[in-house]
Amino acid sequence: EIKMFKKKARSLQYDRAFFLNIFRNKSASFFPYIYRIGNFTLLETYKNKEADRKSFEEKKSIYQTSNYNLTTKTLVTDSWIPRSVIDRQRELAGRALAIWKINYLFPSE
């Protein structure tokens, strides 16, 4: 358990250092959006490994080859800014509500 904890701690430190480096030139206002659902996308395993820690500009060519429509739709935007994350999150929330809608308030007895 201790080894696993240390590995996770190193991973979190790496993530923090990575994001600080990538977003150094961006406004601090972007940080609250990093782990939002709108900032994530589906990719095939091997493509995900390829895109791992690249910038949005570098990832766009990988996203273009994805078999997932949600991912290729991400290419519509030219840059990835907080507004992009918010818009995508709203779109995903709307899809989720449409797919998993509840047609009743109380289950029938």
Side-chain angles (χ1 to χ4, degrees):
E1 288 181 32
I2 291 174
K3 283 183 183 180
M4 212 161 87
F5 176 76
K6 286 181 180 179
K7 184 178 179 181
K8 183 68 174 171
R10 278 193 302 272
S11 174
L12 289 172
Q13 287 172 347
Y14 177 75
D15 284 349
R16 179 172 157 59
F18 168 77
F19 284 117
L20 287 174
N21 186 37
I22 291 294
F23 298 112
R24 182 168 292 155
N25 296 326
K26 290 195 177 202
S27 166
S29 64
F30 193 82
F31 288 108
Y33 301 94
I34 292 172
Y35 293 108
R36 290 197 176 187
I37 192 78
N39 196 39
F40 291 90
T41 193
L42 295 172
L43 275 176
E44 296 82 350
T45 303
Y46 65 97
K47 290 179 184 179
N48 191 42
K49 288 178 184 177
E50 183 184 347
D52 188 31
R53 304 247 180 223
K54 294 182 177 172
S55 69
F56 179 71
E57 283 303 313
E58 295 170 303
K59 289 178 181 183
K60 282 178 81 169
S61 62
I62 299 168
Y63 292 169
Q64 229 169 5
T65 64
S66 178
N67 292 319
Y68 301 119
N69 290 334
L70 278 175
T71 300
T72 55
K73 191 173 182 187
T74 305
L75 296 170
V76 173
T77 187
D78 292 327
S79 60
W80 201 247
I81 57 175
R83 178 86 261 163
S84 308
V85 175
I86 292 167
D87 291 346
R88 187 156 190 276
Q89 187 156 314
R90 283 191 177 133
E91 178 194 347
L92 293 173
R95 286 176 178 246
L97 289 172
I99 292 168
W100 293 298
K101 61 185 171 188
I102 298 174
N103 293 326
Y104 56 88
L105 292 176
F106 300 100
S108 57
E109 297 180 39

